[in-house]
Amino acid sequence: MRYVAVVCPRCGKASAARLDAKRHQCPYCGYVMQVEAASIIAVGSARAVREAVVRHNTQMGLGS
């Protein structure tokens, strides 16, 4: 299964969603976004996407 790392337009934190998902709810602020319209920072395996999420959130000073 493939995943995407998306950035929430409301809080700026990244999280992982399934590539075939239409919508994704941010686990940090609860915002529901359309995956195809979201800012995608990585696509790939669960591990690769998880690493991209952690890297993004750490760079933003937001933790993992």
Side-chain angles (χ1 to χ4, degrees):
M1 183 171 293
R2 293 181 48 90
Y3 296 87
V4 293
V6 295
V7 177
C8 177
R10 181 187 285 167
C11 71
K13 293 184 182 182
S15 58
R18 287 184 13 193
L19 183 60
D20 61 351
K22 300 274 188 212
R23 292 177 298 192
H24 175 68
Q25 183 172 9
C26 176
Y28 303 102
C29 72
Y31 183 78
V32 178
M33 63 192 98
Q34 299 295 323
V35 172
E36 64 184 27
S39 177
I40 296 173
I41 59 171
V43 177
S45 68
R47 181 178 180 177
V49 168
R50 182 175 55 246
E51 290 170 356
V53 167
V54 170
R55 187 170 44 253
H56 174 84
N57 290 346
T58 300
Q59 288 173 352
M60 296 296 294
L62 303 172
S64 54

